[in-house]
Amino acid sequence: MHVVQTKLRRFSPSAWPRRSAKTQTKREKTIQSCSNFFDEAWPQPFENSQRMWSFDRTVQIAKPLVTFPWRSIGFYALTGKSVITYKKRLVKETIVEALEAISEQNPRGRILLVADNYGSHHAKLTQERADELGIEFVFIPPYSPALNAIEPLWKDLKREISPEIFEDKDHFREFLTETFLRLSHGLNFAADWIKTFLPDVQKLR
């Protein structure tokens, strides 16, 4: 777990461990400022990311044509509570609302938020409100989704959606929320990230 200087706005895989080694003093302090992962996605009830095999016949699954109009904004927490919110538009105002929901569920300690370089993350309104909430963005380099541990979580979530049949968008939203929170309870999606950037931490939860 890493304590970084405030106002950090860029992520450097090579520089971060050296910086943290200088500032890390107590394990309790580093746990308080542990990195977490933030990203947007748009899973749909008709996701087809899982193949099904049959040896004797072709298997077809008929699904109602249900669409889900809300984008999902996910917060995958290494410590604290993971959060998922839904917005019809991904603009700076709705990103701010998602940050407020994260802060409400995680009121203690400063939150380091690993995120990509989506424009609304960099917006002045977003950054000002993040500072007020005690949230520090750590931006990964462009085209490096492997550095954001929420990406494999989204992939597994879509795989679980694939065989399911949903009656309507409310049924899908309930399933999406329950599945995201269940999956995010484990640290396996961040195992490689933890091994690389938090090698001295024995236990996060």
Side-chain angles (χ1 to χ4, degrees), residues 45-172:
F46 43 80
E47 293 288 351
N48 189 26
S49 58
Q50 175 171 293
R51 295 182 180 274
M52 298 185 179
W53 296 93
S54 174
F55 292 101
D56 58 350
R57 61 188 176 89
T58 300
V59 176
Q60 294 182 341
I61 299 178
K63 291 188 175 184
L65 185 57
V66 177
T67 58
F68 191 64
W70 299 288
R71 276 69 168 174
S72 302
I73 304 177
F75 171 73
Y76 175 32
L78 294 187
T79 59
K81 295 183 179 179
S82 296
V83 178
I84 184 168
T85 60
Y86 306 100
K87 305 295 178 182
K88 287 195 172 182
R89 300 174 62 214
L90 294 179
V91 295
K92 57 183 181 294
E93 291 82 6
T94 54
I95 297 299
V96 165
E97 291 171 0
L99 296 181
E100 291 171 344
I102 292 168
S103 179
E104 182 179 351
Q105 293 296 316
N106 298 273
R108 297 181 60 185
R110 190 163 184 81
I111 299 171
L112 298 185
L113 209 60
V114 176
D116 60 26
N117 288 276
Y118 181 59
S120 293
H121 298 167
H122 285 277
K124 182 178 179 181
L125 176 66
T126 303
Q127 291 298 315
E128 288 180 346
R129 186 62 178 135
D131 286 341
E132 293 170 356
L133 295 170
I135 295 175
E136 185 74 26
F137 275 85
V138 179
F139 292 112
I140 61 177
Y143 311 111
S144 56
L147 292 176
N148 194 339
I150 199 174
E151 294 287 355
L153 191 157
W154 288 132
K155 184 177 180 180
D156 269 29
L157 176 62
K158 292 178 179 180
R159 185 178 293 113
E160 294 209 12
I161 291 170
S162 183
E164 299 293 330
I165 296 176
F166 303 97
E167 300 174 358
D168 51 38
K169 60 180 180 293
D170 293 328
H171 178 203
F172 178 71

Side-chain angles (χ1 to χ4, degrees), residues 183-201:
L183 291 174
S184 64
H185 185 69
L187 297 176
N188 53 305
F189 300 106
D192 290 341
W193 196 96
I194 293 169
K195 183 178 179 180
T196 301
F197 299 111
L198 311 181
D200 297 328
V201 176

Side-chain angles (χ1 to χ4, degrees), residues 34-52:
C34 181
S35 295
N36 306 277
F37 306 93
F38 184 78
D39 191 35
E40 300 83 15
W42 197 6
Q44 289 291 331
F46 43 80
E47 293 288 351
N48 189 26
S49 58
Q50 175 171 293
R51 295 182 180 274
M52 298 185 179

